[in-house]
Amino acid sequence: MTAAIYPFDRTSSQSSVRRAHAWIDVDLDAIRHNAALLHACAGVPMIVMIKADGYGLGAAPVVRALAGASRSGQAGLGASAVWAYGVATVEEARALRAAGYAGRLWCGTPLLAEELRDAATVGLTPALHTASNIAAWRTIGRSPWHLAIDTGMSRAGVRWDEVVPLRSSLSEHPPEGVFTHFHSADEPDESMALQDARFAASLLSLGAALPASCIVHSDNSAAISRRGAGSAGLVRPGIGVFGALARTPLPLLQPVHLRARIVDLRDLRVGETVGYGGSWTATVPSRIATVPVGYADGYRRHLSNIGCGVLHGVRCAVAGRVSMDMTMLDVTNVPCELGDVVTMLGTSGEVTLTTQQVAAEASVSPYELLTGLRQRLPRHYLGDV
Ligand SMILES: *Cc1c(COP(=O)(O)O)cnc(C)c1O
């Protein structure tokens, strides 16, 4: 291997580790840093959303990392910062219990009546919004629950203008919290103000049916970044913790780095093509490197002839179509050899391919890019506790 800029400076202690031929480095220090920034910005405790296996990066390691101090001495976040972790299914909650997490787990996705018993068994705090499920939950064990109010997302919860019939259910088994969710907190439009107003109106019409101690919450990462400390009791950041929040002034760090070693190299003559469909043609004598990452790993096919990888600190364009298991890069101008590491997402030396940039090139959202990274790529946790 030639002198490599990989890995980036903060993790240079890892440079002697010989990795599998393609993998993801997950920088837990960066995740801790991002969570602390969002918490400082919001000024209230967080439900840290770790649904979909921690946005694809690994829910259990993220929970461990946020609770514990880092090797470098950076403190964990503590209970005053993290009120709960947010999951999307009973199964995700069960997996975290099996991994040893005993604290609060909150689920924002509606559950079917037949799931409530299992939810109670794993100690999940559900979002409810029908009289029948609230009554069932009360019968099962009088455990905490949150009232979900739909203020315009049209996805989950009771309509803001139809809450009054729930008053008697709330009086019988009052919710611990009440929340709504914004559909466009990341857009500089008026919709968030409208949803805020609808939410406030619904709370007003519920009046004394909500206990005075009821915890009100609404803000996702984009809303936190946009208005800092709101008047709410909790916030619910997700994507910001994972460093992929668009248009934010917060100095979030990139925690995810997709890397692969060069497994083949060839020289092409003028006129020769690369990959399925022959969609890339050498216009000058060219050197092509193959890395063992493809769309089956979540490296999107749309990045064909569009994306790039970073090799020894230099961007190298994807040449031809991304295939299922392999991607080719034009490395004509970068001396390299078999086994050298290419960074397809994340940081190498001075260059960072952010999740937002790569997602935009792939024509998907950052959420979709992260949660689409497949399990064939082993996750390596840097800064683990
Ligand atoms: C996923 C989710 C969040 C987090 O949203 P981000 O945009 O990732 O910060 C917050 N609340 C609910 C209900 C969610 O489903």
Side-chain angles (χ1 to χ4, degrees), residues 9-266:
D9 298 338
R10 302 183 53 236
T11 55
S12 53
S13 61
Q14 301 279 332
S15 61
S16 58
V17 178
R18 193 166 177 89
R19 299 292 194 204
H21 68 172
W23 70 97
I24 296 171
D25 283 330
V26 179
D27 182 350
L28 295 172
D29 285 338
I31 289 176
R32 235 184 248 112
H33 165 95
N34 293 343
L37 268 183
L38 286 156
H39 177 235
C41 180
V44 294
M46 307 181 284
I47 300 176
V48 176
M49 300 304 294
I50 49 154
K51 57 199 179 186
D53 200 25
Y55 288 50
L57 302 184
V62 168
V63 168
R64 263 199 303 276
L66 291 185
S70 73
R71 282 200 191 121
S72 55
Q74 191 185 0
L77 268 77
S80 61
V82 182
W83 186 83
Y85 289 96
V87 296
T89 67
V90 175
E91 204 39 60
E92 287 180 346
R94 204 191 321 272
L96 282 159
R97 294 300 184 219
Y101 174 70
R104 269 196 209 90
L105 287 172
W106 180 90
C107 181
T109 310
L111 299 178
L112 292 170
E114 66 246 41
E115 296 179 283
L116 294 180
R117 198 162 288 282
D118 284 346
T121 304
V122 298
L124 185 58
T125 301
L128 307 176
H129 68 276
T130 62
S132 61
N133 272 0
I134 295 166
W137 188 249
R138 176 169 173 259
T139 311
I140 286 168
R142 295 180 175 269
S143 310
W145 64 282
H146 289 206
L147 175 64
I149 297 186
D150 172 24
T151 54
M153 176 78 171
S154 304
R155 182 176 73 170
V158 58
R159 275 182 69 104
W160 80 94
D161 52 359
E162 292 177 359
V163 294
V164 170
L166 285 178
R167 272 187 192 155
S168 59
S169 305
L170 302 191
S171 301
E172 279 169 13
H173 185 25
E176 174 186 49
V178 54
F179 74 100
T180 193
H181 190 57
F182 298 121
H183 62 71
S184 301
D186 51 350
E187 295 294 332
D189 65 15
E190 294 303 306
S191 69
M192 206 167 112
L194 175 64
Q195 287 191 263
D196 268 333
R198 288 172 171 177
F199 191 36
S202 68
L203 299 182
L204 204 60
S205 56
L206 284 172
L210 287 176
S213 61
C214 196
I215 310 167
V216 177
H217 52 107
S218 59
D219 291 16
N220 62 359
S221 304
I224 296 166
S225 164
R226 195 160 146 182
R227 62 183 177 188
S231 56
L234 290 173
V235 290
R236 303 189 309 269
I239 196 76
V241 173
F242 302 101
L245 180 61
R247 294 187 295 278
T248 178
L250 297 174
L252 300 174
L253 297 176
Q254 169 81 24
V256 50
H257 312 276
L258 168 53
R259 317 210 194 260
R261 291 173 176 277
I262 296 174
V263 292
D264 211 345
L265 270 171
R266 74 202 59 255

Side-chain angles (χ1 to χ4, degrees), residues 10 57 98 108 125 191 243 276 296 326 341 345 353:
R10 302 183 53 236
L57 302 184
T125 301
S191 69
Y276 285 121
M326 288 175 262
V341 174
L345 166 68
L353 307 175

